[in-house]
Amino acid sequence: MLSILMNHLPTRTLILSPMGKMFFNILATLPEFESDLFRLRTREGMAMARSRGKLRGKKPKLSDKQQRELRWMHDTGEYAIGDLAEVFPVSRPTVHGTIARQQIATGRPVSNAP
Protein backbone atom coordinates (compact mmCIF):
# COMPACT_ATOMS: atom_id res chain seq x y z
CA MET A 1 0.00 0.00 0.00
CA LEU A 2 2.85 2.36 0.80
CA SER A 3 4.39 1.77 -2.61
CA ILE A 4 1.09 2.67 -4.28
CA LEU A 5 0.89 5.91 -2.31
CA MET A 6 4.54 6.71 -2.97
CA ASN A 7 4.17 6.17 -6.72
CA HIS A 8 1.15 8.43 -7.07
CA LEU A 9 1.94 11.28 -4.69
CA PRO A 10 5.05 13.32 -4.16
CA THR A 11 6.70 12.45 -0.83
CA ARG A 12 6.13 15.88 0.70
CA THR A 13 2.44 15.77 -0.16
CA LEU A 14 2.16 12.26 1.23
CA ILE A 15 3.66 13.21 4.59
CA LEU A 16 1.72 16.45 4.96
CA SER A 17 -1.68 15.13 3.88
CA PRO A 18 -4.11 13.90 6.55
CA MET A 19 -4.14 10.44 4.97
CA GLY A 20 -0.34 10.31 4.96
CA LYS A 21 -0.10 11.41 8.60
CA MET A 22 -2.61 8.76 9.64
CA PHE A 23 -0.81 6.06 7.66
CA PHE A 24 2.60 6.86 9.16
CA ASN A 25 1.13 7.03 12.66
CA ILE A 26 -0.38 3.58 12.19
CA LEU A 27 2.98 2.26 10.98
CA ALA A 28 4.71 3.81 14.01
CA THR A 29 2.41 2.00 16.44
CA LEU A 30 3.53 -1.45 15.30
CA PRO A 31 7.12 -1.31 16.63
CA GLU A 32 5.85 0.31 19.83
CA PHE A 33 3.32 -2.51 20.23
CA GLU A 34 6.05 -5.12 19.68
CA SER A 35 8.33 -3.56 22.29
CA ASP A 36 5.46 -3.40 24.79
CA LEU A 37 4.74 -7.10 24.20
CA PHE A 38 8.44 -7.90 24.68
CA ARG A 39 8.51 -6.03 28.01
CA LEU A 40 5.31 -7.74 29.15
CA ARG A 41 6.62 -11.21 28.30
CA THR A 42 9.93 -10.46 30.00
CA ARG A 43 8.18 -9.36 33.20
CA GLU A 44 5.93 -12.42 33.14
CA GLY A 45 8.91 -14.73 32.65
CA MET A 46 10.81 -13.09 35.50
CA ALA A 47 7.77 -13.39 37.79
CA MET A 48 7.44 -17.09 36.97
CA ALA A 49 11.16 -17.68 37.56
CA ARG A 50 11.00 -15.75 40.84
CA SER A 51 8.02 -17.82 42.01
CA ARG A 52 10.00 -21.01 41.29
CA GLY A 53 13.06 -19.65 43.08
CA LYS A 54 15.18 -19.56 39.94
CA LEU A 55 15.69 -15.79 39.76
CA ARG A 56 18.20 -14.67 42.34
CA GLY A 57 20.06 -11.79 40.76
CA LYS A 58 23.74 -11.04 40.98
CA LYS A 59 25.67 -12.69 43.78
CA PRO A 60 27.18 -10.29 46.35
CA LYS A 61 30.92 -9.64 46.17
CA LEU A 62 31.31 -10.09 49.91
CA SER A 63 30.08 -12.97 52.06
CA ASP A 64 27.77 -12.28 55.00
CA LYS A 65 30.70 -12.61 57.40
CA GLN A 66 32.79 -10.15 55.36
CA GLN A 67 29.88 -7.69 55.25
CA ARG A 68 29.47 -7.82 59.03
CA GLU A 69 33.23 -7.38 59.50
CA LEU A 70 33.31 -4.46 57.07
CA ARG A 71 30.48 -2.78 58.99
CA TRP A 72 32.25 -3.39 62.31
CA MET A 73 35.53 -1.97 60.97
CA HIS A 74 33.70 1.08 59.66
CA ASP A 75 31.91 1.62 62.98
CA THR A 76 35.21 1.62 64.88
CA GLY A 77 36.12 4.83 63.07
CA GLU A 78 39.66 3.64 62.41
CA TYR A 79 39.10 2.91 58.72
CA ALA A 80 38.01 5.24 55.94
CA ILE A 81 35.92 4.02 53.02
CA GLY A 82 39.00 3.90 50.78
CA ASP A 83 40.87 1.83 53.35
CA LEU A 84 38.00 -0.65 53.56
CA ALA A 85 37.90 -0.88 49.77
CA GLU A 86 41.58 -1.86 49.83
CA VAL A 87 41.26 -4.35 52.71
CA PHE A 88 38.32 -6.07 51.03
CA PRO A 89 39.22 -5.95 47.33
CA VAL A 90 36.07 -4.12 46.21
CA SER A 91 35.21 -0.67 44.92
CA ARG A 92 34.23 2.28 47.09
CA PRO A 93 30.58 2.17 45.90
CA THR A 94 30.46 -1.49 46.98
CA VAL A 95 31.65 -0.47 50.46
CA HIS A 96 29.01 2.26 50.66
CA GLY A 97 26.28 -0.14 49.50
CA THR A 98 27.36 -2.82 51.97
CA ILE A 99 27.29 -0.37 54.86
CA ALA A 100 23.84 0.87 53.81
CA ARG A 101 22.49 -2.70 53.55
CA GLN A 102 23.95 -3.56 56.95
CA GLN A 103 22.27 -0.49 58.39
CA ILE A 104 18.91 -1.64 57.05
CA ALA A 105 19.46 -5.22 58.22
CA THR A 106 20.51 -4.33 61.76
CA GLY A 107 18.46 -1.19 62.20
CA ARG A 108 21.50 0.64 63.56
CA PRO A 109 22.41 3.95 61.96
CA VAL A 110 25.78 4.32 60.30
CA SER A 111 28.23 6.15 62.55
CA ASN A 112 29.69 9.45 61.46
CA ALA A 113 33.21 8.09 61.53
CA PRO A 114 35.65 9.45 58.94
Side-chain angles (χ1 to χ4, degrees):
M1 180 170 185
L2 180 60
S3 62
I4 295 170
L5 288 173
M6 294 296 273
N7 289 336
H8 293 299
L9 294 171
T11 305
R12 185 169 176 79
T13 305
L14 176 66
I15 294 172
L16 297 178
S17 71
M19 248 340 233
K21 286 181 183 178
M22 182 190 75
F23 184 71
F24 283 112
N25 281 329
I26 290 170
L27 286 179
T29 60
L30 293 176
E32 185 178 350
F33 175 69
E34 285 180 359
S35 66
D36 288 345
L37 279 179
F38 182 76
R39 277 190 221 104
L40 178 67
R41 290 179 186 141
T42 301
R43 279 191 227 115
E44 287 175 351
M46 290 175 70
M48 288 174 55
R50 197 174 293 119
S51 69
R52 285 188 242 133
K54 301 287 183 181
L55 185 66
R56 295 189 189 113
K58 187 175 180 180
K59 293 184 180 182
K61 293 182 178 180
L62 300 173
S63 68
D64 290 339
K65 182 179 177 182
Q66 288 174 318
Q67 290 180 26
R68 287 190 303 272
E69 188 172 345
L70 185 142
R71 173 66 192 267
W72 177 80
M73 290 172 72
H74 180 264
D75 287 346
T76 63
E78 295 178 22
Y79 299 92
I81 298 294
D83 298 335
L84 293 170
E86 286 180 24
V87 171
F88 301 91
V90 294
S91 66
R92 292 170 56 98
T94 300
V95 173
H96 284 289
T98 301
I99 292 169
R101 279 191 301 279
Q102 286 291 313
Q103 176 187 0
I104 292 168
T106 60
R108 295 181 310 181
V110 174
S111 66
N112 293 329

